[in-house]
Amino acid sequence: MATLLVCSATDDLSTLCSALEAAAAAPEGQVRDLKVVLWPAAFDPWDVVAVAAWNPPAGLLPALPALKFVASIGAGIEHILQCPDLPEEVPITRIVDTQQAQGMAEYVLWAALHFHRGFDEILARQTSRTWRVPPQAAASAFRVGIMGLGGMGTQVAKRLRDNGFSVSAWARRAHELQGVQTFAGSTPPAEFLALSDMVVCLLPLTAQTTGLCNAEFFAAMKPGAAFVNAGRGQQVVTGDLLAALDAGQLRGAVLDVFDTEPLSQQSPLWSHPKVIVTPHMASAATDASIACQIVSNVQRVRSGQAIENTVTREQGY
Ligand code: NDP
């Protein structure tokens, strides 16, 4: 029987597995004779048409001769592309979810309000019981620079714009978004960095974005600006970020993603007075939504239709 294999070398995907079973069995799923198997339970490799994965186990994917696609269970796909034995021709899909993007918009709006209204200063003064109003201004006086204008970045830009913030955004290709100043190119434009009061990283992890936020990057930011990372931890050189914070070049940082997750108990980020650490919770799609998208693609494969939300391997997202 055709099989959808759910696997991860690092995470427990049993709840997602149940959601996939429910989606496959739902009347609207219309996937007859589909078995959902949670690796490492027994399966016939010749039956596996699709894999739903987070960090696929080594050796598994090349052993599946009938594989039609590999589905990332998240918005990012680097954990699949980094798989050393990923078969060359198999398409990769990812999750694209409007609710998830709305969650990201809420997270970044919270960070923008935190810095724009001076809540960072207020919290720092509370320990000394100091009653002092930080400088207050209209949201339009605070410019947020967003790196990445895809599913996440676009919703974030719109939410900030609609809340009165000035918004700039940078992506590889040219984009037009009403009320948002956009930049295109392979490196963050100097003007973009120099004018933003808060820079937000919403980029996928690729060879080009790994280590992008380094000493040079932070030095090019507006003095006293804030930094938010909700992309991937490997995009930031942590030592360079800490140096920029300690030197006063940056006012503060909100970090949701880290090189190693969970963040090590020994990390200096936990106790840095200018850093807010959140546990990779900026936004997530529900298991039901993830399952629905993956089962829909299985259905498409089996009825000869093109699958949706595929990525371009060469560009890495
Ligand atoms: P998309 O693929 O929809 O968008 C990626 C955007 O990044 C595009 O605008 C793309 O440019 C731009 N981009 C990619 N590479 C570069 C580069 N080298 N220079 C400039 N711009 C670049 O991804 P999503 O918006 O859906 O997600 C982005 C990332 O956010 C995910 O890969 C994941 O790592 C992270 N994420 C984090 C979550 C969390 O909870 N912390 C939740 C969800 C996602 P162009 O438009 O020109 O192609």
Side-chain angles (χ1 to χ4, degrees):
M1 189 189 290
T3 298
L4 168 60
L5 186 63
V6 186
C7 66
S8 172
T10 53
D11 291 59
D12 175 9
L13 301 186
S14 50
T15 313
L16 176 64
C17 190
S18 304
L20 285 160
E21 282 169 337
E28 64 275 18
Q30 294 176 352
V31 185
R32 288 187 204 92
D33 306 326
L34 180 71
K35 193 159 96 179
V36 181
V37 174
L38 181 61
W39 181 88
F43 61 90
D44 182 340
W46 286 93
D47 286 345
V48 177
V49 292
V51 166
W54 187 264
N55 293 324
L60 180 67
L61 299 179
L64 305 173
L67 186 62
K68 296 287 186 285
F69 70 97
V70 177
S72 167
I73 63 167
I77 51 137
E78 75 284 354
H79 57 100
I80 290 173
L81 289 181
Q82 285 163 3
C83 198
D85 53 13
L86 179 67
E88 274 182 19
E89 302 302 330
V90 177
I92 301 167
T93 64
R94 70 187 194 104
I95 299 303
V96 177
D97 186 292
T98 314
Q99 277 303 115
Q100 184 179 22
Q102 295 298 346
M104 185 63 83
E106 288 174 5
Y107 182 90
V108 178
L109 177 61
W110 158 74
L113 290 167
H114 176 79
F115 291 114
H116 161 57
R117 296 296 306 273
F119 291 116
D120 55 341
E121 290 180 33
I122 288 168
L123 287 171
R125 286 189 196 125
Q126 190 160 329
T127 45
S128 58
R129 303 177 182 227
T130 304
W131 181 284
R132 195 190 307 159
V133 179
Q136 300 291 305
S140 57
F142 192 89
R143 180 166 290 278
V144 182
I146 299 165
M147 302 200 293
L149 208 41
M152 297 295 142
T154 302
Q155 286 307 321
V156 169
K158 286 181 180 171
R159 182 71 70 92
L160 291 167
R161 176 200 66 193
D162 294 348
N163 278 269
F165 288 96
S166 293
V167 183
S168 306
W170 164 61
R172 280 175 62 227
R173 293 171 279 221
H175 290 259
E176 274 187 33
L177 190 55
Q178 196 183 1
V180 174
Q181 179 189 34
T182 55
F183 297 86
S186 55
T187 51
E191 184 189 352
F192 168 85
L193 290 179
L195 295 181
S196 297
D197 297 290
M198 180 175 105
V199 171
V200 185
C201 180
L202 289 171
L203 295 167
L205 184 64
T206 65
Q208 291 72 39
T209 65
T210 301
L212 175 79
C213 305
N214 57 16
E216 194 186 342
F217 174 96
F218 294 124
M221 281 175 61
K222 183 174 179 175
F227 176 71
V228 177
N229 189 17
R232 286 291 182 258
Q234 293 84 346
Q235 288 156 345
V236 175
V237 180
T238 303
D240 292 355
L241 172 62
L242 288 168
L245 289 164
D246 291 339
Q249 166 63 7
L250 293 189
R251 158 188 188 165
V254 169
L255 306 174
D256 187 54
V257 286
F258 305 90
D259 293 2
T260 307
E261 295 179 6
L263 180 62
S264 151
Q265 290 287 313
Q266 281 71 47
S267 171
L269 294 170
W270 283 113
S271 53
H272 198 286
K274 292 182 172 178
V275 174
I276 295 178
V277 169
T278 60
H280 200 148
M281 47 65 74
S283 68
T286 61
D287 280 347
S289 170
I290 296 167
C292 193
Q293 292 186 36
I294 294 172
V295 166
S296 163
N297 267 337
V298 172
Q299 187 182 355
R300 286 174 159 271
V301 153
R302 296 187 74 194
S303 60
Q305 291 173 274
I307 54 174
E308 294 180 323
N309 299 327
T310 51
V311 300
T312 310
R313 280 196 193 201
E314 299 69 44
Q315 67 180 19
Y317 65 97

